[in-house]
Amino acid sequence: MELLEERIRKDGVVRGEDVLKVDSFLNHQLDPLLLDEIGKEFFRLFGGERVDRILTIEASGIAVAVMAARYFGCPVVFAKKSRTVNQARDVYASSAYSFTHKTENRIIVSKEYLHEGERVLLIDDFLANGQSLRALRDIVLQAGAEPVGAGIVIEKAFQPGGDELRGEGLRIESLARIRSMSERDGIRFC
Amino acid sequence: MELLEERIRKDGVVRGEDVLKVDSFLNHQLDPLLLDEIGKEFFRLFGGERVDRILTIEASGIAVAVMAARYFGCPVVFAKKSRTVNQARDVYASSAYSFTHKTENRIIVSKEYLHEGERVLLIDDFLANGQSLRALRDIVLQAGAEPVGAGIVIEKAFQPGGDELRGEGLRIESLARIRSMSERDGIRFC
């Protein structure tokens, strides 16, 4: 997506070889007009499919997911990060290791908002090692629902998550795919 | 806002005398069409003012704020909940006691995304004791910016935050104001 790549080039800040900060439009400050275009693009890509529900993770996924959901006309459910390890009966739970924060995140979704047979589109802001996306897919499968695919805003294509999950049969559409980045040479897209 | 009150009556779940769960459309599952109407209503109420920026708190405020921001055509900044107590130089910080979770939440906003002289609309999902809203206002004032007012989805008008903050001169527009609620008698709006 040209508009998004331009914005990443202009406002993204590379730290080291694998951290990309996009706080100015996606992770702290949000640009609603760009998010609206991103939502529209996800609908262009997945609108031919039956989508009963969009599933994302708090917090940064919420804005993207809700903008997309306007076009799909379906509800969003956002998985919550939970600090308690107790397994509750009324939630689906999975966990995702965050390489950024070096912590294991347990994420939960109430059983009330995800049902057997539903077709669920996964949406997230970043895809790198694929931990979050695996956890979301895991929750969809626990519910007996079907993942339609995953809409990702920025994929770090030099990290293995995207290729691995595609290899496992998940359809992934990333609006910007970064082939390499560094503080010196900037960002190269696929 | 009639549509919102109807939805709260239909899907809100009252626990005890002061907990209202609206997980089915606002706090876990999100209804994008309702959120769009809420955003439009905030624009009707505050659209006559100059609004440079909308400030909210993760996670539940994000969806409402970004839907409103589409109408205002301005960026959203969401305050992040921070577990570290260290005062960083590059952020504005404040803290809010959560009566629900019985914890002190420190919230931070990067100094990059809030500037002197800006007019900032505060948006949040709930107003009860006013702790979050005070923390947001505090951050706006630290930046030398001006709070235009606060757009709240649901105000528990039987708790003191709204009246106190109005008494201090903050314009607050709550789309649903609850006068009283109980498991037995249900919800009464103002």
Side-chain angles (χ1 to χ4, degrees), chain A residues 89-108:
Chain A
R89 271 196 209 166
D90 53 352
V91 299
Y92 302 111
S94 188
S95 62
Y97 181 77
S98 163
F99 287 86
T100 315
H101 300 104
K102 311 229 175 352
T103 52
E104 190 80 20
N105 282 321
R106 183 167 176 269
I107 63 166
I108 57 172

Side-chain angles (χ1 to χ4, degrees), chain B residues 19-148:
Chain B
V19 174
L20 173 63
K21 284 179 69 94
V22 287
D23 279 5
S24 66
F25 59 92
L26 190 63
N27 290 147
H28 187 12
Q29 181 170 252
L30 303 169
D31 176 344
L33 304 180
L34 177 66
L35 290 175
D36 195 25
E37 291 298 323
I38 287 172
K40 203 185 291 178
E41 182 67 7
F42 284 138
F43 185 67
R44 193 184 66 77
L45 292 163
F46 289 103
E49 302 268 358
R50 191 187 108 207
V51 173
D52 300 313
R53 205 171 286 270
I54 289 174
L55 179 65
T56 189
I57 303 192
E58 66 176 0
S60 294
I62 294 175
V64 179
V66 82
M67 284 302 205
R70 278 185 64 242
Y71 292 96
F72 286 92
C74 75
V76 169
V77 177
F78 62 89
K80 298 188 178 193
K81 292 173 185 166
S82 165
R83 289 180 221 176
T84 55
V85 185
N86 295 342
Q87 186 72 29
R89 273 197 207 164
D90 52 353
V91 299
Y92 302 111
S94 189
S95 63
Y97 181 77
S98 164
F99 288 86
T100 313
H101 300 102
K102 310 226 176 353
T103 51
E104 190 81 19
N105 283 320
R106 183 168 177 268
I107 64 166
I108 58 172
V109 171
S110 166
K111 290 186 179 174
E112 286 186 64
Y113 307 124
L114 206 51
H115 308 107
E116 194 175 335
E118 285 179 343
R119 289 174 51 82
V120 180
L121 176 62
L122 311 176
I123 283 190
D124 209 359
D125 55 343
F126 270 95
L127 169 59
N129 287 287
Q131 292 276 316
S132 296
L133 197 49
R134 276 181 196 285
L136 288 178
R137 185 186 55 174
D138 183 32
I139 280 176
V140 170
L141 296 175
Q142 283 178 43
E146 188 188 343
V148 174

Side-chain angles (χ1 to χ4, degrees), chain B residues 8 12-15 18-23 27 126 154 156 178 181 187:
Chain B
I8 294 169
V13 177
V14 179
R15 294 260 184 270
D18 61 356
V19 174
L20 173 63
K21 284 179 69 94
V22 287
D23 279 5
N27 290 147
F126 270 95
I154 302 173
K156 294 175 180 168
I178 297 174
M181 60 186 202
I187 298 165

Side-chain angles (χ1 to χ4, degrees), chain A residues 35-175:
Chain A
L35 291 175
D36 195 24
E37 292 297 323
I38 287 172
K40 202 184 292 179
E41 182 68 7
F42 284 138
F43 185 68
R44 193 184 67 77
L45 291 162
F46 290 102
E49 302 270 357
R50 190 187 109 207
V51 172
D52 300 313
R53 205 171 286 269
I54 290 173
L55 180 64
T56 189
I57 303 191
E58 66 176 358
S60 294
I62 293 175
V64 179
V66 82
M67 284 301 207
R70 278 184 64 241
Y71 292 96
F72 286 91
C74 75
V76 169
V77 177
F78 63 88
K80 299 189 177 193
K81 292 172 185 166
S82 165
R83 288 178 221 176
T84 55
V85 185
N86 295 342
Q87 185 74 28
R89 271 196 209 166
D90 53 352
V91 299
Y92 302 111
S94 188
S95 62
Y97 181 77
S98 163
F99 287 86
T100 315
H101 300 104
K102 311 229 175 352
T103 52
E104 190 80 20
N105 282 321
R106 183 167 176 269
I107 63 166
I108 57 172
V109 171
S110 167
K111 290 186 180 174
E112 284 186 66
Y113 308 123
L114 205 52
H115 308 108
E116 194 176 336
E118 286 179 342
R119 288 174 53 82
V120 180
L121 175 61
L122 311 176
I123 283 189
D124 209 359
D125 55 343
F126 270 95
L127 170 59
N129 286 289
Q131 292 278 316
S132 297
L133 197 50
R134 274 180 197 286
L136 288 177
R137 185 186 56 175
D138 182 31
I139 281 176
V140 170
L141 296 174
Q142 284 178 42
E146 187 188 344
V148 174
I152 301 294
V153 183
I154 302 173
E155 178 180 346
K156 292 175 178 168
F158 56 88
Q159 291 187 326
D163 284 349
E164 285 171 11
L165 283 157
R166 286 184 185 95
E168 295 167 23
L170 186 67
R171 178 182 170 197
I172 300 177
E173 301 284 354
S174 301
L175 304 190

